[in-house]
Amino acid sequence: MISSRLWRPLATAITLLALAPSLASAADTAIPSGFITDGPVRASTTDAQGRIYIGGDFSTVGPFLGAATFIDPTTAAPTAGFPLVNGTVNDVEPDGGGGWFLGGSFTAVGDVPRSNLAHVRADGTVDTEWNPGAGAVVRSLARSGTHLYLGGSFNTVGGKPRTGLARVSTTGTGATDSQWYPDATGTVNVIALRGTTLYVAGGLSAVGSAPCPGLCRLSTTGGPTGPVDASWQLIQAPSPSQPRALAFDATSVYVGGRFSAIGGEARSGLAKVSLTTADVDPTWNPSLEFLPGLPGDANALAISGTLLYVGGNFMNVGGRTTDSQRHLSRVSTTGAGALDTNWQPELDNDVTSISLQGDQIYAGGNFANVGAEWRPHLARFSTSPGAALDTWSPQLNGAPNAIISEGGRLLVAGAFSSGGPSSRQRFGLARFDAQGRLDTTWNPSVDGSVYALTATADALYVGGFIFSVGRASRSDLARVSLTGAGAVDATWNPARPSFSPVRAIAVSADGVFVGTGQAGADNGTPTSLIKVSATGAGVRDATWDPDVTGAVRALRVVGGGLIVGGDFFGGNVGGQARDYLAKVATTGTGAADAAWNPQPTGRVLAMTSTADALYLGGEFDQVKGLPRGRVAKLTLGGAVDPAWGPLVNNAVKALALRGDALYLGGQFTAVSGESVTRIAKVGATGSGVLDEAFKPVAQASVDALSATPTRLLAGGLTFSGAGGRSLIGTAFFDLVAPTITVASPAEGATYVQGQAVAVAFECQDDGGVLGSCSGTQAAGAALDTATLGARTFTVQATDESGNSATKTVSFSVVAGPPAPTPVPVAAPIVDGPAPAVKDTTAPKVTGSKLTPSSFKAAKSGAVTAPATGKKPKSGGRLTLSLSEAATLRLTVITPKTSKKKAKTVGSFTLPASAGAFAVDVRGRVGKKKLAKGSYVLEVVASDAVGNAAPAITVKFKITG
């Protein structure tokens, strides 16, 4: 179970900043399907196997989803059909035709820019015509016929001045109604329609020129200002004026929010108001409290018969304090509003939305647990006594604000961006493979915040502000296994180095070096850098003490010593005067190297190195007297590289090397005079030239970077993903273009003019998703051999991240031998010229069968080949019969499931003779083995003139 001091509600801890969509070049678009977290990532590292570790303040890791999605009511899996929403959705209103109107704080739906309002059609496409646009947040929607009513904190709608309230058309462009403009004074939190009457609630004082003390109602038909019903007025506004939810029965409106009085009556968070007189019911008073005397919040209400379901942020109802009914309860709509003590959901944090569906109720919010069960942000309960919790668990990473069941589909929208069965509970630590796929087994679980990670051959060292790891008590420092579930080392448990979090860790054969955010009294000696043993309990080396009294932010063991970077200034390090950067011995007392003194003029926050160079990132503008803007390259001897000098305009907090490229992360907005946003790529050699093709957008500071041969991980708070969408915590970038294999035409081949040659090529994207693969002529088509001379054939491929590849092969076409001289024959007597006979008959394919249908993939060898001799040890044999000689195009497909779309893995072509024919299928595509799982093999036969038979398909499984 999550610690109460660790859990931070996403809705209040993180605001999703949003950017308008933009086209990205090269690989600067984050992988759309990459995993994200529900909180900041502050540290990352890789191990010898290329696996990526992240640490920070998060509790879940899951695939990017957007802020609205369909969720299967049975499996809890997100289902396809709804476009990705960039931002937060506050309300959803059905359009009456199977589609939906969305209101909130967002900038794009799908790839279509939208300002806080959008219309999604029943087929899941964005209505590109309907685009009123609101100047600020839309909080509530209500529809009546061709009118859509809006409530929120906006000042304009559709370019027209509208304050808090507006009406737009549901058709066409969504024109703002020029005949209805009842401007609200204050924020509108919720609106509700009953017939032609619109109820409005929020932090209000007036609508138009009429008083509206937190709650009022107005006509939708009575004139341009929507006159407020003067006969229906609260005696006194709620105090404080924060109604947030409304529900109705035949005689009353139930008002929920945060208030301690309403209509002249003392009411805590919940009140019942007459629809006839606007009087507060003098008897009905469930009274929600967060603490005694402090009103609780009611954020969501729903009525079923004489029961009112209440979701919000409260600890007791009607004076009853009970863990089992906090945040979600139900009370009677009659009498005094008695609490139903037999209905006990038991949530650990607040509820933002509820939806009644028959004998079940959905609850969304900022909770993590229901009783002892992990149910992040969305859960389903029985309405029967006991409120039995359903096993259904979508595992969202943020709070839903709207839960709508329409046409048999469940639509959930809110402040989340990830979810689904592949999401995992991960507290503070997670591991991915080199391709960015989440490790579902390794799960140490940290109670606290992780700021530092360092991997060795057999362990991961973890530092931060930590209370425990894997339920074992630890003080800011721990060591966990790289194998299995990531068990914490039960013996190694150094004493807390200071009262400040661990910010940096380095490991060498001499021990483990630990740097903290500030000096603290440890054994009576103030220090922010200590050395502990890598064996046993991790005992501190009492002799080794460089006496660093300022924060240590970065450590690196290179050049026979320990490089120390941080905040320290105006003092000695290891017996030498050093500011911000020093090199100390890893043995003895930790004496400073007297000859090594680069003298940066500001804090050093990040370091990385090669065999002969040290790279620094931080807040300095000079190193050794040379201008160096927040990043510098040194020799291991401490000399500044005189040529290498990209100028960065703000702090560099993270560095990652990949070959001859250095990736920078931090708070900057320009590198060498070019606009970049907190993440950049420069050359690691030469002068450090900025790569202008790599310009992703990070919406907050980038605090962590790790690179593998194929992926770059950036860690921080929020990033712009594909199409400008916001990603939380992590962004994965695909660094490798697709590969292309051209089998026919062959490089350098010579063909006779008019020769029948089938085109054969395939494209792959290892670990990514192939976007397109196209050649000068389609695979399987007849190569153009009509023109004599030197010729080329080109294939182009792109992947989902925007990486592209092109491959061109050269071939020649030559004239064939002269045709034999024909022997004259007497022409037959005919009535006219004989008609030319055109082949329009496609080959017939019969008897197709793949045996066995389940097999292991071959470790090497050709993808497929005409069968000869015995069946292969690895793979299967496809047998079929052809009515004529043909070219077979075989395509491997991963089939469509409820969780993902069908995807082409690769394709290839083979010539086939007429009659019985067999092909060995070896479970490979190109140079790659197929992973375990189910596949479909699609076979299309085409004759020499291009007639193609209908595709046939056979299913098979790869077992290893």
Side-chain angles (χ1 to χ4, degrees):
M1 181 179 289
I2 192 165
S3 165
S4 59
R5 59 190 167 194
L6 174 62
W7 180 253
R8 297 172 177 87
L10 179 66
T12 56
I14 296 176
T15 299
L16 289 179
L17 305 180
L19 297 178
S22 60
L23 295 177
S25 61
D28 65 355
T29 297
I31 299 172
S33 56
F35 279 77
I36 62 175
T37 65
D38 64 347
V41 170
R42 306 186 187 280
S44 68
T45 193
T46 57
D47 64 16
Q49 299 179 47
R51 296 175 297 193
I52 302 170
Y53 299 81
I54 61 171
D57 286 309
F58 51 84
S59 56
T60 62
V61 179
F64 179 57
L65 196 62
T69 185
F70 294 122
I71 295 180
D72 190 298
T74 302
T75 66
T79 58
F82 205 86
L84 293 167
V85 180
N86 181 49
T88 298
V89 178
N90 292 324
D91 202 6
V92 175
E93 180 72 12
D95 68 0
W100 300 266
F101 293 99
L102 311 181
S105 177
F106 49 81
T107 60
V109 179
D111 290 324
V112 181
R114 284 295 180 264
S115 182
N116 308 319
L117 283 168
H119 178 215
V120 178
R121 300 186 184 96
D123 63 1
T125 61
V126 180
D127 186 336
T128 55
E129 182 182 11
W130 195 88
N131 186 22
V137 179
V138 176
R139 302 183 186 279
S140 187
L141 303 173
R143 185 184 64 86
S144 176
T146 59
H147 290 146
L148 182 69
Y149 295 86
L150 322 174
S153 54
F154 46 81
N155 290 315
T156 62
V157 174
K160 292 180 168 35
R162 294 290 186 273
T163 305
L165 286 169
R167 182 168 74 185
V168 300
S169 174
T170 61
T171 62
T173 62
T176 304
D177 194 326
S178 60
Q179 301 302 311
W180 196 84
Y181 43 90
D183 289 342
T185 303
T187 298
V188 176
N189 290 331
V190 59
I191 59 176
L193 271 172
R194 285 177 63 84
T196 60
T197 300
L198 184 72
Y199 288 80
V200 180
L204 299 166
S205 58
V207 171
S209 59
C212 182
L215 174 66
C216 60
R217 68 186 185 191
L218 52 153
S219 171
T220 60
T221 61
T225 59
V228 172
D229 185 344
S231 68
W232 195 85
Q233 289 280 335
L234 293 176
I235 298 173
Q236 180 182 321
S239 177
S241 185
Q242 285 297 327
R244 294 175 178 170
L246 300 175
F248 298 85
D249 63 16
T251 61
S252 304
V253 55
Y254 297 83
V255 184
R258 177 185 292 180
F259 47 81
S260 56
I262 182 172
E265 298 285 344
R267 291 291 183 272
S268 185
L270 200 56
K272 178 180 179 181
V273 179
S274 169
L275 289 176
T276 304
T277 64
D279 291 336
V280 175
D281 188 307
T283 303
W284 194 87
N285 186 16
S287 187
L288 308 181
E289 289 186 318
F290 185 75
L291 293 172
L294 181 64
D297 300 354
N299 299 323
L301 303 173
I303 287 181
S304 177
T306 59
L307 291 173
L308 175 70
Y309 290 83
V310 184
N313 191 17
F314 50 85
M315 296 296 185
N316 61 65
V317 182
R320 285 178 171 268
T321 301
T322 169
D323 287 347
S324 62
Q325 292 172 304
R326 59 185 182 180
H327 309 302
L328 181 62
S329 301
R330 70 182 183 189
V331 298
S332 173
T333 60
T334 63
L339 172 68
D340 184 344
T341 57
N342 294 318
W343 197 75
Q344 301 178 338
E346 198 175 351
L347 304 176
D348 71 350
N349 215 319
D350 65 296
V351 170
T352 56
S353 59
I354 54 179
S355 178
L356 278 168
Q357 304 294 332
D359 60 356
Q360 295 175 316
I361 182 169
Y362 294 89
N366 292 307
F367 51 85
N369 298 291
V370 177
E373 298 293 327
W374 173 247
R375 289 291 186 278
H377 301 293
L378 184 58
R380 186 167 68 189
F381 305 89
S382 167
T383 58
S384 300
L389 174 67
D390 201 304
T391 56
W392 187 86
S393 181
Q395 300 192 76
L396 301 180
N397 74 340
N401 295 324
I403 305 169
I404 304 289
S405 181
E406 179 82 359
R409 294 193 289 183
L410 185 70
L411 177 63
V412 179
F416 56 84
S417 57
S418 174
S422 57
S423 296
R424 290 293 186 273
Q425 181 179 2
R426 290 291 184 271
F427 294 126
L429 274 179
R431 181 169 76 183
F432 303 89
D433 69 10
Q435 301 296 334
R437 293 173 290 236
L438 179 67
D439 188 321
T440 58
T441 301
W442 192 85
N443 184 20
S445 188
V446 174
D447 183 358
S449 300
V450 175
Y451 293 103
L453 296 173
T454 295
T456 62
D458 58 358
L460 179 74
Y461 290 84
V462 183
F465 185 53
I466 295 171
F467 304 100
S468 67
V469 178
R471 298 186 182 275
S473 177
R474 289 294 182 270
S475 294
D476 299 339
L477 192 60
R479 182 168 67 189
V480 299
S481 172
L482 301 186
T483 61
V488 66
D489 188 315
T491 303
W492 196 82
N493 187 15
R496 177 190 291 269
S498 76
F499 293 108
S500 182
V502 170
R503 298 283 182 176
I505 304 171
V507 183
S508 78
D510 298 317
V512 179
F513 304 92
V514 182
T516 65
Q518 66 184 43
D522 188 339
N523 295 335
T525 305
T527 184
S528 53
L529 180 61
I530 65 170
K531 172 185 171 184
V532 299
S533 172
T535 61
V539 175
R540 179 180 174 182
D541 184 334
T543 302
W544 192 90
D545 184 12
D547 192 25
V548 181
T549 56
V552 172
R553 305 285 180 179
L555 295 170
R556 196 84 179 174
V557 178
V558 292
L562 176 69
I563 312 299
V564 184
D567 299 1
F568 47 89
F569 176 80
N572 291 328
V573 174
Q576 300 289 329
R578 292 291 184 269
D579 294 336
Y580 309 118
L581 187 66
K583 179 181 180 182
V584 301
T586 58
T587 58
T589 62
D593 185 330
W596 200 93
N597 188 17
Q599 300 174 331
T601 56
R603 298 197 302 167
V604 173
L605 305 175
M607 289 189 286
T608 190
S609 61
T610 64
D612 57 5
L614 174 69
Y615 296 86
L616 308 177
E619 296 175 343
F620 48 83
D621 54 22
Q622 289 186 19
V623 179
K624 204 73 173 181
L626 294 176
R628 288 296 181 269
R630 285 86 185 178
V631 65
K633 179 182 179 182
L634 312 179
T635 67
L636 298 189
V640 180
D641 186 317
W644 194 91
L647 297 175
V648 183
N649 72 338
N650 209 330
V652 173
K653 302 172 70 175
L655 300 171
L657 277 165
R658 178 180 177 270
D660 60 358
L662 178 69
Y663 293 90
L664 318 176
Q667 297 172 314
F668 51 85
T669 56
V671 175
S672 298
E674 295 293 327
S675 176
V676 292
T677 311
R678 303 180 184 91
I679 182 169
K681 174 185 176 184
V682 299
T685 59
S687 61
V689 174
L690 174 71
D691 184 341
E692 296 198 40
F694 183 81
K695 288 189 176 181
V697 173
Q699 296 164 311
S701 174
V702 175
D703 297 331
L705 291 171
S706 285
T708 74
T710 61
R711 294 287 184 268
L712 173 72
L713 173 134
L717 182 58
T718 52
F719 302 88
S720 179
R725 300 182 184 99
S726 295
L727 307 176
I728 300 177
T730 62
F732 282 92
F733 298 91
D734 184 353
L735 303 180
V736 180
T739 58
I740 301 170
T741 303
V742 180
S744 176
E747 177 63 39
T750 299
Y751 303 104
V752 175
Q753 187 175 27
Q755 181 178 346
V757 179
V759 170
F761 62 85
E762 64 175 324
C763 308
Q764 292 180 287
D765 192 46
D766 189 18
V769 176
L770 191 65
S772 66
C773 177
S774 60
T776 307
Q777 292 163 266
L783 180 67
D784 180 6
T785 58
T787 304
L788 295 173
R791 307 286 301 280
T792 60
F793 182 87
T794 300
V795 179
Q796 294 180 315
T798 60
D799 62 22
E800 67 173 356
S801 295
N803 296 298
S804 61
T806 301
K807 184 165 186 176
T808 298
V809 297
S810 300
F811 65 98
S812 299
V813 178
V814 298
T821 303
V823 177
V825 293
I829 299 173
V830 294
D831 293 336
V837 177
K838 184 178 181 181
D839 181 2
T840 59
T841 303
K844 291 183 180 179
V845 184
T846 57
S848 60
K849 186 176 182 181
L850 179 61
T851 55
S853 60
S854 297
F855 50 82
K856 291 185 176 180
K859 294 181 179 179
S860 61
V863 177
T864 60
T868 57
K870 296 180 180 180
K871 292 183 180 179
K873 294 181 179 180
S874 298
R877 179 162 289 179
L878 173 68
T879 56
L880 48 82
S881 182
L882 291 165
S883 62
E884 60 177 305
T887 297
L888 298 182
R889 177 174 173 78
L890 299 96
T891 303
V892 178
I893 300 167
T894 54
K896 179 181 179 181
T897 68
S898 62
K899 301 179 182 179
K900 60 183 179 181
K901 298 179 180 178
K903 184 178 74 173
T904 297
V905 179
S907 62
F908 39 89
T909 58
L910 285 174
S913 57
F917 188 77
V919 179
D920 287 341
V921 180
R922 299 173 61 80
R924 300 177 59 80
V925 174
K927 298 179 181 179
K928 178 183 177 183
K929 289 174 57 179
L930 295 178
K932 289 183 181 180
S934 298
Y935 297 87
V936 172
L937 181 64
E938 179 186 83
V939 184
V940 176
S942 303
D943 64 18
V945 295
N947 296 308
I952 61 172
T953 58
V954 291
K955 297 179 179 179
F956 67 97
K957 288 184 178 180
I958 297 296
T959 58

